[in-house]
Amino acid sequence: MNGNTTKVIKISDLYNDDIQYACDILKNGGLVAFPTETVYGLGACALNPEAVKKIFEVKGRPQDNPLIVHLASFEQVNEVAYVEEKYVNVIKRLTPGPVTFVLKKKSIIPPEVTAGLDTVGVRIPAHPIAQRLAQCAGPIAAPSANLSGKPSPTDAKSVIEDLFGLVECIIDAGESAFGIESTIIDLTKEKPLVLRPGPITIEELNEIFKEFGGVEFYVPKADEKPLAPGMKYRHYAPEKTLKMVEPEKIQEYANKDVLILCTLETCEKYLKDAKNIHIIGEYARPYTIAQNLYKSLRLVDKSPYPEAVIEKLPEEGIFFSIMNRIKKAVSKF
Ligand code: AMP
Ligand code: MG
């Protein structure tokens, strides 16, 4: 990047000329942070190895952690990967949307994108700006637009905190709708294998993949090279100590020198008179927790409290995906 100025553009109007401006940056080998319905992505042209390398440099991302390729349409999927006929209908049913499919890659995708794997993760985002960028610039390789290790950004302010001065352009289109990263399904194995839980739940996938006997959930074994290489890295963790606590025990932390991250319901039940609270969403509307989670985790390091606790949640439906992220955030490894 020349100099260190980042152009931040606010886009609410889809026909805004600034989308063309951002698209030209991608076509010329630059980096653009852009909104999607999951989290903000840091994009580069997926067919340009030099541009893709910049993503790893800017994020401090380990070289063996592959990137997801963002596309505008199912036709574009066929340009970059082989799709087995039997999966065409389910892929069409789940796209556009917050799901990534791991498929056998075609040679057009350079090894820099896939960390040398012979598979590629592809996603067709539903967000209109991500859609238009991929229509205009072609396949876009994009991990989340944060520095490696930090919580993924769910608004432009968080992207600016991490990447201002390091990328050519940041597109601000408000808050991400889901707030956690896509569900990843590997379709190259005997049975559809969920590598990362996300906004589309395992229960929903079991229904959609019924004719294939449902999906399996991948749990890496300690002595095995993980199938989703990104899994082995520390993720989402604040610098300060963060512990997970059962809702019934959380009142022990009321008015202590600890920030309490909890649901509205737990706050009303156990923490009525406490001042040291940050509400992460509503238990009765769990997608609100997904949407606020990463911003809440970023708040831990910004708050005056030296440490924090977060409420333990159940592990079914969308809570399972939320707990997957919380467990990584409280882990030191
Ligand atoms: P991020 O976009 O930062 O959420 O990271 C993308 C995630 O997708 C990483 O955890 C990768 O391990 C996973 N991923 C991307 N491509 C592949 C692939 N070809 N095979 C398995 N996992 C992948
Ligand atoms: Mg990420």
Side-chain angles (χ1 to χ4, degrees), residues 230-261:
M231 280 185 175
K232 64 177 184 279
Y233 295 108
R234 187 165 180 244
H235 264 88
Y236 323 121
E239 299 287 328
K240 292 179 190 168
T241 300
L242 174 70
K243 282 190 285 196
M244 187 161 64
V245 177
E246 306 272 352
E248 313 77 64
K249 297 210 174 122
I250 217 156
Q251 54 202 356
E252 290 169 20
Y253 297 89
N255 297 320
K256 299 268 166 61
D257 204 14
V258 175
L259 178 67
I260 303 174
L261 305 178

Side-chain angles (χ1 to χ4, degrees), residues 61 65-66 68 102 117 119-121 143-144 184 195-196 227-230:
R61 185 174 176 97
N65 193 358
I68 292 170
V102 171
L117 297 172
T119 55
V120 60
S144 48
I184 303 180
L195 301 182
R196 176 172 75 187
L227 281 177

Side-chain angles (χ1 to χ4, degrees), residues 121-157:
V122 298
R123 175 159 117 75
I124 305 175
H127 196 291
I129 290 172
Q131 278 267 334
R132 261 206 70 197
L133 274 183
Q135 268 163 21
C136 158
I140 302 171
S144 48
N146 51 287
L147 295 175
S148 252
K150 289 239 232 161
S152 299
T154 55
D155 60 13
K157 196 167 147 264

Side-chain angles (χ1 to χ4, degrees), residues 172-222:
D172 178 353
E175 272 195 48
S176 305
F178 287 112
I180 55 171
E181 304 84 348
S182 60
T183 305
I184 303 180
I185 312 171
D186 188 340
L187 296 181
T188 68
K189 301 285 179 291
E190 215 155 286
K191 218 178 150 184
L193 189 62
V194 176
L195 301 182
R196 176 172 75 187
I200 305 293
T201 64
I202 306 276
E203 291 86 343
E204 285 166 321
L205 291 174
N206 274 330
E207 179 59 31
I208 291 168
F209 283 88
K210 211 166 38 192
E211 65 183 287
F212 304 100
V215 295
E216 265 165 24
F217 180 65
Y218 172 66
V219 183
K221 297 192 187 86

